[in-house]
Amino acid sequence: MAITTSSTISAPVNDVFQETLLRNAKACCPYFAGSSPAEISEHQGTFTAKWRRIENLTPVTTALSELTGAVTFPTRQEVQPSITDVSATVSKFGNFIFLNEEVDLVNFSGQTDKLMEILGINAGQSLNRLQRNVLEDSFTAVLAGSATTATGIGGSPTASGFVKRSDIANLNNTLNRNIAMRFTPQTTGSTNIGSTPIRASYLGICHPDTEEDLRTLTGFNSVETYAGQIETYDCEIGHVGGVRFISTPESTIDVTTGVAATGSATTSGRSTATRFDVYNTPVYGQDAVGSVGFGFEHIKEIYDAGDKLPGVQVISKSRGSAGAADPLNELGSIGWKSWYAGVVLNSAWGRTLRHVASLVKPNE
C-alpha cells in the first residue's frame, strides 16, 4: 500500500478544510472469542507452539476380582492414557504506507494520525479474518436442511437451506454427544418483567443476514431479555437452541455457490439470478480452537477493528531514516506487523453450518 503522489492525497488548496476528520467504521471482530491462547517466547529457537490434551480414560464397568493364591506384583493391570498433541507455527503479517515529502508537507499534521488509525483498523480486521478462516474452514461442515452438497443449498424460504430450529438443535446435539464444553452456565431468571432464563450454551458467530433469520425462530431469546442475569458478549444478539449467537459483517458469504435459482435477481436469498449465496456460521465449545502469537498471547474476547491489540507493532519511519536508500530524505513510512497462528484443538467440538438467508437482496 503506497501513497507516493500528491494526487492521491491532494493538498487542501482553495478549500476551507475541516481538520476534524470523518470517522471510520470499525467492524466487530469476534472470532478470537473462546480461543485457547498460547505464546511463543522470543529467543527460544522455535516458531511452533504445542497444546497437549490427555484424553479421558475408558469408564470401568467390570468389578475387581479378589486377589487369591500367590500374589505377583503389580497386582493389577495399569491403563495407558491417550495423549493428543496439537501444534501450530506462527507466521508474520503486516501492512504499510509510504509517504513522500510532498504528501507529508502539504497536509496538516492530523493526516498522519488518521493514517495510523486506518492501519490499526486494518491490523484488527486482518487478524480477525485469519482466525475466522480457521473456524469456518476447519470445522466439519453441516449443510442446512436436507442438502447433501453446497450446490444444493437454497430454494424458496420454506425449502431446505434456510436456517431452521432443527438445524440449531442438530448442531447442539452433535456437540453434546461429543461432550463439548459449554462457554456459559444457565441463568436462573430475573425479577425484571419480560426477562428470560437461558440454558448453558455454546457460541455461534453469524452474518447480519443470518441474524434476521435467527430472530424469527421459535424459542429465540433476544439478548436484552437475559443481559441482566449473566455477562454478555459484545455484538451478541441472542440465544436459541443452546447456542448464544454473535453477529458480525466479517462473517463470510460464498457468493452464488448454492442451488441454481430462477426469476428476478432480487428474489430472497441470492445476490444474482444464477445461484443462491451460501453463508458460513461456526458453532463451537470451549477449547475447540486456539491461537498463538510470538512474544504475546492473542486476546481471548471480542474487539472492534482499530482497538489497540497486544502484539501488534506499529512502526513509523521518518524521512531520511533509510540512509542511502533515501538520499534526499524524501520518503517516510508507517505500518503494522504481527505474528499469528490459529489451530483447531478439538474438531469434535465445533461445526460450521452452511445455509442461505431469506432476506430480499438487490443484485450485487
Side-chain angles (χ1 to χ4, degrees):
M1 189 186 305
I3 299 176
T4 55
T5 66
S6 54
S7 61
T8 304
I9 297 182
S10 60
V13 178
N14 298 326
D15 289 307
V16 177
F17 200 83
Q18 304 301 313
E19 294 195 14
T20 302
L21 296 172
L22 299 179
R23 287 171 292 185
N24 289 71
K26 299 180 180 180
C28 177
C29 298
Y31 287 93
F32 282 95
S35 69
S36 298
E39 175 184 350
I40 297 176
S41 299
E42 299 180 41
H43 312 298
Q44 296 300 310
T46 182
F47 286 118
T48 302
K50 180 177 288 186
W51 291 260
R52 170 160 292 173
R53 183 172 68 249
I54 301 177
E55 308 293 352
N56 290 337
L57 300 176
T58 302
V60 176
T61 57
T62 302
L64 295 174
S65 60
E66 179 184 358
L67 295 175
T68 60
V71 176
T72 59
F73 296 93
T75 58
R76 305 294 187 187
Q77 181 65 46
E78 83 283 356
V79 295
Q80 182 69 43
S82 175
I83 297 175
T84 301
D85 288 337
V86 182
S87 61
T89 302
V90 295
S91 298
K92 184 167 54 178
F93 299 87
N95 210 353
F96 71 97
I97 296 171
F98 270 130
L99 290 173
N100 72 7
E101 187 173 23
E102 286 75 10
V103 170
D104 194 20
L105 291 179
V106 299
N107 280 283
F108 58 92
S109 57
Q111 189 78 66
T112 301
D113 291 338
K114 189 63 176 180
L115 292 174
M116 292 300 295
E117 179 185 348
I118 66 168
L119 281 170
I121 293 172
N122 181 248
Q125 283 187 290
S126 298
L127 293 176
N128 180 67
R129 291 186 180 189
L130 290 168
Q131 186 72 1
R132 174 199 68 189
N133 293 343
V134 171
L135 271 67
E136 292 186 349
D137 298 341
S138 301
F139 287 149
T140 299
V142 175
L143 307 185
S146 59
T148 58
T149 63
T151 54
I153 303 174
S156 67
T158 58
S160 64
F162 293 85
V163 179
K164 295 183 174 62
R165 184 66 169 76
S166 58
D167 295 315
I168 307 302
N170 178 38
L171 293 172
N172 185 74
N173 185 60
T174 298
L175 298 190
N176 286 343
R177 285 173 58 89
N178 293 334
I179 323 178
M181 296 185 293
R182 297 175 179 86
F183 281 100
T184 58
Q186 70 177 25
T187 68
T188 55
S190 169
T191 58
N192 295 331
I193 296 174
S195 62
T196 306
I198 61 171
R199 56 174 157 161
S201 303
Y202 302 112
L203 277 185
I205 303 177
C206 68
H207 192 275
D209 293 351
T210 303
E211 170 188 345
E212 297 309 315
D213 282 350
L214 292 173
R215 291 183 180 277
T216 67
L217 298 181
T218 301
F220 177 84
N221 300 310
S222 187
V223 65
E224 57 267 23
T225 64
Y226 59 83
Q229 308 167 35
I230 192 171
E231 184 178 358
T232 58
Y233 296 93
D234 290 341
C235 310
E236 184 173 347
I237 61 165
H239 166 277
V240 63
V243 181
R244 289 171 61 173
F245 283 95
I246 298 166
S247 176
T248 174
E250 291 291 288
S251 176
T252 61
I253 306 173
D254 297 327
V255 179
T256 63
T257 300
V259 72
T262 58
S264 169
T266 59
T267 302
S268 63
R270 62 183 186 273
S271 62
T272 72
T274 56
R275 290 189 175 274
F276 282 80
D277 295 344
V278 174
Y279 294 74
N280 299 288
T281 301
V283 174
Y284 57 101
Q286 285 191 63
D287 295 334
V289 292
S291 63
V292 56
F294 189 67
F296 68 98
E297 288 187 351
H298 281 291
I299 59 176
K300 301 178 183 180
E301 299 301 333
I302 300 166
Y303 61 90
D304 288 334
D307 290 350
K308 186 176 180 180
L309 301 180
V312 175
Q313 303 174 36
V314 177
I315 303 166
S316 177
K317 302 290 187 181
S318 60
R319 295 194 309 274
S321 61
D326 184 20
L328 299 181
N329 293 355
E330 294 174 289
L331 292 176
S333 65
I334 51 177
W336 67 269
K337 181 177 70 174
S338 184
W339 296 81
Y340 162 83
V343 63
V344 171
L345 301 177
N346 192 331
S347 59
W349 291 355
R351 293 290 186 270
T352 296
L353 180 64
R354 305 197 71 200
H355 58 89
V356 295
S358 61
L359 290 178
V360 174
K361 298 184 63 189
N363 187 20
E364 296 177 345

